[in-house]
mmCIF file of all heavy atoms in Angstrom:
data_model
loop_
_atom_site.group_PDB
_atom_site.id
_atom_site.type_symbol
_atom_site.label_atom_id
_atom_site.label_comp_id
_atom_site.label_asym_id
_atom_site.label_seq_id
_atom_site.Cartn_x
_atom_site.Cartn_y
_atom_site.Cartn_z
ATOM 1 N N ASN K 1 13.598 21.856 -12.242
ATOM 2 C CA ASN K 1 12.256 22.547 -12.243
ATOM 3 C C ASN K 1 11.832 22.786 -13.670
ATOM 4 O O ASN K 1 12.527 22.344 -14.612
ATOM 5 C CB ASN K 1 12.360 23.848 -11.410
ATOM 6 C CG ASN K 1 13.421 24.805 -11.951
ATOM 7 O OD1 ASN K 1 13.808 24.715 -13.109
ATOM 8 N ND2 ASN K 1 13.821 25.723 -11.098
ATOM 9 N N ALA K 2 10.723 23.525 -13.770
ATOM 10 C CA ALA K 2 10.137 23.736 -15.143
ATOM 11 C C ALA K 2 11.053 24.552 -16.022
ATOM 12 O O ALA K 2 10.930 24.508 -17.245
ATOM 13 C CB ALA K 2 8.786 24.460 -14.985
ATOM 14 N N HIS K 3 12.007 25.350 -15.438
ATOM 15 C CA HIS K 3 12.915 26.146 -16.213
ATOM 16 C C HIS K 3 14.165 25.370 -16.590
ATOM 17 O O HIS K 3 15.044 26.008 -17.171
ATOM 18 C CB HIS K 3 13.197 27.400 -15.415
ATOM 19 C CG HIS K 3 11.999 28.228 -15.002
ATOM 20 N ND1 HIS K 3 11.249 28.913 -15.934
ATOM 21 C CD2 HIS K 3 11.381 28.365 -13.853
ATOM 22 C CE1 HIS K 3 10.222 29.534 -15.308
ATOM 23 N NE2 HIS K 3 10.307 29.163 -14.055
ATOM 24 N N GLY K 4 14.362 24.179 -16.097
ATOM 25 C CA GLY K 4 15.507 23.384 -16.480
ATOM 26 C C GLY K 4 16.653 23.610 -15.496
ATOM 27 O O GLY K 4 17.812 23.043 -15.725
ATOM 28 N N SER K 5 16.397 24.267 -14.382
ATOM 29 C CA SER K 5 17.443 24.469 -13.332
ATOM 30 C C SER K 5 17.470 23.226 -12.479
ATOM 31 O O SER K 5 16.447 22.931 -11.852
ATOM 32 C CB SER K 5 17.232 25.719 -12.560
ATOM 33 O OG SER K 5 17.303 26.843 -13.349
ATOM 34 N N ALA K 6 18.611 22.579 -12.358
ATOM 35 C CA ALA K 6 18.722 21.346 -11.592
ATOM 36 C C ALA K 6 19.588 21.516 -10.397
ATOM 37 O O ALA K 6 20.538 22.337 -10.355
ATOM 38 C CB ALA K 6 19.304 20.208 -12.432
ATOM 39 N N GLY K 7 19.303 20.816 -9.307
ATOM 40 C CA GLY K 7 20.110 20.815 -8.103
ATOM 41 C C GLY K 7 20.259 19.427 -7.565
ATOM 42 O O GLY K 7 19.333 18.600 -7.646
ATOM 43 N N GLU K 8 21.377 19.081 -6.956
ATOM 44 C CA GLU K 8 21.595 17.756 -6.394
ATOM 45 C C GLU K 8 20.918 17.617 -5.062
ATOM 46 O O GLU K 8 20.862 18.512 -4.274
ATOM 47 C CB GLU K 8 23.091 17.504 -6.239
ATOM 48 C CG GLU K 8 23.462 16.081 -5.870
ATOM 49 C CD GLU K 8 24.871 15.692 -6.028
ATOM 50 O OE1 GLU K 8 25.683 16.625 -6.314
ATOM 51 O OE2 GLU K 8 25.243 14.531 -5.819
ATOM 52 N N VAL K 9 20.364 16.450 -4.862
ATOM 53 C CA VAL K 9 19.638 16.082 -3.602
ATOM 54 C C VAL K 9 20.209 14.882 -3.037
ATOM 55 O O VAL K 9 20.796 14.034 -3.772
ATOM 56 C CB VAL K 9 18.137 16.006 -3.813
ATOM 57 C CG1 VAL K 9 17.536 17.302 -4.295
ATOM 58 C CG2 VAL K 9 17.812 14.872 -4.761
ATOM 59 N N ASP K 10 20.122 14.732 -1.743
ATOM 60 C CA ASP K 10 20.464 13.441 -1.097
ATOM 61 C C ASP K 10 19.325 12.504 -1.092
ATOM 62 O O ASP K 10 18.264 12.821 -0.476
ATOM 63 C CB ASP K 10 20.911 13.754 0.361
ATOM 64 C CG ASP K 10 21.522 12.510 1.064
ATOM 65 O OD1 ASP K 10 21.416 11.430 0.420
ATOM 66 O OD2 ASP K 10 22.005 12.621 2.191
ATOM 67 N N PRO K 11 19.455 11.298 -1.672
ATOM 68 C CA PRO K 11 18.341 10.338 -1.730
ATOM 69 C C PRO K 11 17.837 9.986 -0.357
ATOM 70 O O PRO K 11 16.634 9.669 -0.189
ATOM 71 C CB PRO K 11 18.889 9.150 -2.523
ATOM 72 C CG PRO K 11 19.996 9.728 -3.361
ATOM 73 C CD PRO K 11 20.591 10.835 -2.479
ATOM 74 N N ALA K 12 18.713 10.042 0.622
ATOM 75 C CA ALA K 12 18.297 9.642 1.991
ATOM 76 C C ALA K 12 17.334 10.628 2.606
ATOM 77 O O ALA K 12 16.623 10.346 3.554
ATOM 78 C CB ALA K 12 19.548 9.481 2.874
ATOM 79 N N ASP K 13 17.261 11.903 2.061
ATOM 80 C CA ASP K 13 16.407 12.913 2.604
ATOM 81 C C ASP K 13 14.992 12.874 2.049
ATOM 82 O O ASP K 13 14.148 13.578 2.576
ATOM 83 C CB ASP K 13 16.997 14.259 2.312
ATOM 84 C CG ASP K 13 18.349 14.520 3.043
ATOM 85 O OD1 ASP K 13 18.556 13.818 4.115
ATOM 86 O OD2 ASP K 13 19.115 15.370 2.620
ATOM 87 N N LEU K 14 14.790 12.029 1.007
ATOM 88 C CA LEU K 14 13.406 11.968 0.466
ATOM 89 C C LEU K 14 12.505 11.136 1.301
ATOM 90 O O LEU K 14 12.938 10.252 2.092
ATOM 91 C CB LEU K 14 13.445 11.435 -0.989
ATOM 92 C CG LEU K 14 14.336 12.228 -1.962
ATOM 93 C CD1 LEU K 14 14.277 11.720 -3.312
ATOM 94 C CD2 LEU K 14 13.847 13.736 -1.935
ATOM 95 N N GLY K 15 11.183 11.415 1.271
ATOM 96 C CA GLY K 15 10.212 10.814 2.188
ATOM 97 C C GLY K 15 9.967 9.315 1.946
ATOM 98 O O GLY K 15 10.563 8.788 1.003
ATOM 99 N N ASN K 16 9.012 8.774 2.752
ATOM 100 C CA ASN K 16 8.648 7.383 2.596
ATOM 101 C C ASN K 16 7.597 7.209 1.549
ATOM 102 O O ASN K 16 6.903 8.101 1.141
ATOM 103 C CB ASN K 16 8.107 6.881 3.896
ATOM 104 C CG ASN K 16 9.171 6.799 5.044
ATOM 105 O OD1 ASN K 16 10.336 6.545 4.741
ATOM 106 N ND2 ASN K 16 8.809 7.069 6.262
ATOM 107 N N LEU K 17 7.549 5.968 1.025
ATOM 108 C CA LEU K 17 6.531 5.586 0.112
ATOM 109 C C LEU K 17 5.302 5.150 0.884
ATOM 110 O O LEU K 17 5.406 4.458 1.905
ATOM 111 C CB LEU K 17 7.030 4.344 -0.794
ATOM 112 C CG LEU K 17 8.197 4.687 -1.651
ATOM 113 C CD1 LEU K 17 8.695 3.422 -2.326
ATOM 114 C CD2 LEU K 17 7.862 5.723 -2.722
ATOM 115 N N GLU K 18 4.132 5.599 0.441
ATOM 116 C CA GLU K 18 2.887 5.286 1.111
ATOM 117 C C GLU K 18 2.397 3.896 0.762
ATOM 118 O O GLU K 18 2.230 3.553 -0.315
ATOM 119 C CB GLU K 18 1.832 6.329 0.766
ATOM 120 C CG GLU K 18 2.217 7.774 1.187
ATOM 121 C CD GLU K 18 1.083 8.676 0.811
ATOM 122 O OE1 GLU K 18 -0.043 8.250 0.361
ATOM 123 O OE2 GLU K 18 1.286 9.942 0.875
ATOM 124 N N THR K 19 2.305 3.044 1.790
ATOM 125 C CA THR K 19 1.885 1.712 1.668
ATOM 126 C C THR K 19 1.043 1.271 2.860
ATOM 127 O O THR K 19 1.416 1.667 3.982
ATOM 128 C CB THR K 19 3.043 0.694 1.517
ATOM 129 O OG1 THR K 19 3.928 1.188 0.512
ATOM 130 C CG2 THR K 19 2.582 -0.675 1.162
ATOM 131 N N SER K 20 -0.009 0.569 2.679
ATOM 132 C CA SER K 20 -0.793 0.074 3.782
ATOM 133 C C SER K 20 -1.020 -1.466 3.652
ATOM 134 O O SER K 20 -1.010 -1.971 2.581
ATOM 135 C CB SER K 20 -2.159 0.745 3.863
ATOM 136 O OG SER K 20 -2.837 0.532 2.654
ATOM 137 N N VAL K 21 -1.103 -2.085 4.781
ATOM 138 C CA VAL K 21 -1.325 -3.530 4.858
ATOM 139 C C VAL K 21 -2.730 -3.854 4.983
ATOM 140 O O VAL K 21 -3.457 -3.257 5.887
ATOM 141 C CB VAL K 21 -0.500 -4.167 5.992
ATOM 142 C CG1 VAL K 21 -0.735 -5.679 6.034
ATOM 143 C CG2 VAL K 21 0.955 -3.773 5.888
ATOM 144 N N SER K 22 -3.265 -4.698 4.206
ATOM 145 C CA SER K 22 -4.678 -5.141 4.288
ATOM 146 C C SER K 22 -4.949 -5.931 5.547
ATOM 147 O O SER K 22 -4.082 -6.726 5.989
ATOM 148 C CB SER K 22 -5.130 -5.932 3.056
ATOM 149 O OG SER K 22 -4.896 -5.163 1.895
ATOM 150 N N ALA K 23 -6.127 -5.754 6.137
ATOM 151 C CA ALA K 23 -6.502 -6.595 7.298
ATOM 152 C C ALA K 23 -6.845 -7.949 6.832
ATOM 153 O O ALA K 23 -7.246 -8.218 5.648
ATOM 154 C CB ALA K 23 -7.664 -5.943 7.992
ATOM 155 N N TYR K 24 -6.755 -8.948 7.718
ATOM 156 C CA TYR K 24 -7.088 -10.383 7.373
ATOM 157 C C TYR K 24 -8.226 -10.791 8.309
ATOM 158 O O TYR K 24 -8.104 -10.877 9.514
ATOM 159 C CB TYR K 24 -5.809 -11.222 7.579
ATOM 160 C CG TYR K 24 -6.091 -12.676 7.244
ATOM 161 C CD1 TYR K 24 -6.818 -13.071 6.142
ATOM 162 C CD2 TYR K 24 -5.406 -13.714 7.974
ATOM 163 C CE1 TYR K 24 -7.035 -14.366 5.785
ATOM 164 C CE2 TYR K 24 -5.604 -15.002 7.640
ATOM 165 C CZ TYR K 24 -6.393 -15.345 6.605
ATOM 166 O OH TYR K 24 -6.619 -16.661 6.249
ATOM 167 N N HIS K 25 -9.370 -11.081 7.652
ATOM 168 C CA HIS K 25 -10.578 -11.368 8.412
ATOM 169 C C HIS K 25 -10.792 -12.905 8.508
ATOM 170 O O HIS K 25 -11.635 -13.389 9.185
ATOM 171 C CB HIS K 25 -11.768 -10.717 7.834
ATOM 172 C CG HIS K 25 -11.703 -9.251 7.775
ATOM 173 N ND1 HIS K 25 -11.885 -8.496 8.929
ATOM 174 C CD2 HIS K 25 -11.381 -8.368 6.817
ATOM 175 C CE1 HIS K 25 -11.700 -7.225 8.637
ATOM 176 N NE2 HIS K 25 -11.463 -7.153 7.340
ATOM 177 N N GLY K 26 -10.009 -13.674 7.739
ATOM 178 C CA GLY K 26 -10.193 -15.115 7.707
ATOM 179 C C GLY K 26 -11.441 -15.555 6.969
ATOM 180 O O GLY K 26 -12.240 -14.746 6.514
ATOM 181 N N ALA K 27 -11.576 -16.829 6.754
ATOM 182 C CA ALA K 27 -12.678 -17.373 6.009
ATOM 183 C C ALA K 27 -13.963 -17.183 6.765
ATOM 184 O O ALA K 27 -14.075 -17.492 8.022
ATOM 185 C CB ALA K 27 -12.408 -18.857 5.693
ATOM 186 N N THR K 28 -14.993 -16.854 6.091
ATOM 187 C CA THR K 28 -16.277 -16.711 6.662
ATOM 188 C C THR K 28 -17.067 -18.059 6.672
ATOM 189 O O THR K 28 -17.065 -18.823 5.676
ATOM 190 C CB THR K 28 -17.210 -15.703 5.816
ATOM 191 O OG1 THR K 28 -16.522 -14.504 5.698
ATOM 192 C CG2 THR K 28 -18.583 -15.539 6.419
ATOM 193 N N PRO K 29 -17.606 -18.457 7.821
ATOM 194 C CA PRO K 29 -18.319 -19.760 7.892
ATOM 195 C C PRO K 29 -19.490 -19.726 6.806
ATOM 196 O O PRO K 29 -20.176 -18.792 6.750
ATOM 197 C CB PRO K 29 -18.904 -19.738 9.357
ATOM 198 C CG PRO K 29 -17.980 -18.792 10.114
ATOM 199 C CD PRO K 29 -17.585 -17.770 9.152
ATOM 200 N N LEU K 30 -19.635 -20.912 6.226
ATOM 201 C CA LEU K 30 -20.580 -21.014 5.163
ATOM 202 C C LEU K 30 -21.798 -21.893 5.619
ATOM 203 O O LEU K 30 -21.622 -22.790 6.455
ATOM 204 C CB LEU K 30 -19.972 -21.671 3.900
ATOM 205 C CG LEU K 30 -18.802 -20.875 3.257
ATOM 206 C CD1 LEU K 30 -18.217 -21.688 2.143
ATOM 207 C CD2 LEU K 30 -19.272 -19.521 2.803
ATOM 208 N N SER K 31 -22.954 -21.605 5.052
ATOM 209 C CA SER K 31 -24.147 -22.457 5.393
ATOM 210 C C SER K 31 -23.983 -23.735 4.668
ATOM 211 O O SER K 31 -23.141 -24.008 3.792
ATOM 212 C CB SER K 31 -25.353 -21.703 4.879
ATOM 213 O OG SER K 31 -25.339 -21.587 3.417
ATOM 214 N N GLN K 32 -24.840 -24.717 5.056
ATOM 215 C CA GLN K 32 -24.784 -26.040 4.507
ATOM 216 C C GLN K 32 -25.076 -26.039 2.976
ATOM 217 O O GLN K 32 -24.443 -26.759 2.234
ATOM 218 C CB GLN K 32 -25.805 -26.921 5.196
ATOM 219 C CG GLN K 32 -25.767 -28.391 4.671
ATOM 220 C CD GLN K 32 -26.746 -29.297 5.427
ATOM 221 O OE1 GLN K 32 -27.443 -28.870 6.317
ATOM 222 N NE2 GLN K 32 -26.734 -30.569 5.082
ATOM 223 N N GLU K 33 -26.051 -25.159 2.569
ATOM 224 C CA GLU K 33 -26.385 -25.018 1.115
ATOM 225 C C GLU K 33 -25.175 -24.545 0.297
ATOM 226 O O GLU K 33 -24.908 -25.136 -0.760
ATOM 227 C CB GLU K 33 -27.583 -24.024 0.888
ATOM 228 C CG GLU K 33 -28.862 -24.490 1.480
ATOM 229 C CD GLU K 33 -28.943 -24.195 2.959
ATOM 230 O OE1 GLU K 33 -27.989 -23.656 3.590
ATOM 231 O OE2 GLU K 33 -30.006 -24.664 3.571
ATOM 232 N N PHE K 34 -24.403 -23.610 0.857
ATOM 233 C CA PHE K 34 -23.240 -23.159 0.089
ATOM 234 C C PHE K 34 -22.120 -24.261 0.069
ATOM 235 O O PHE K 34 -21.450 -24.382 -0.889
ATOM 236 C CB PHE K 34 -22.785 -21.818 0.672
ATOM 237 C CG PHE K 34 -23.530 -20.647 0.295
ATOM 238 C CD1 PHE K 34 -23.777 -19.583 1.202
ATOM 239 C CD2 PHE K 34 -24.065 -20.486 -0.979
ATOM 240 C CE1 PHE K 34 -24.473 -18.504 0.818
ATOM 241 C CE2 PHE K 34 -24.849 -19.396 -1.304
ATOM 242 C CZ PHE K 34 -25.068 -18.401 -0.411
ATOM 243 N N SER K 35 -22.008 -24.957 1.144
ATOM 244 C CA SER K 35 -20.950 -26.010 1.149
ATOM 245 C C SER K 35 -21.244 -27.063 0.173
ATOM 246 O O SER K 35 -20.383 -27.589 -0.457
ATOM 247 C CB SER K 35 -20.976 -26.628 2.623
ATOM 248 O OG SER K 35 -20.598 -25.574 3.531
#
């Protein structure tokens, strides 16, 4: 802590890392001009 007092912790007790997976919408159909 801020006062320098330390205590041992079990790494298995710490929480999960926040991660999210992006959605996949696939390729958008293009007009003839863009093609």
Side-chain angles (χ1 to χ4, degrees):
N1 59 22
H3 304 287
S5 298
E8 187 168 6
V9 297
D10 185 353
D13 293 337
L14 299 182
N16 291 327
L17 297 173
E18 297 181 9
T19 308
S20 59
V21 181
S22 301
Y24 183 36
H25 300 283
T28 303
L30 299 175
S31 64
Q32 183 178 0
E33 292 81 3
F34 283 142
S35 299

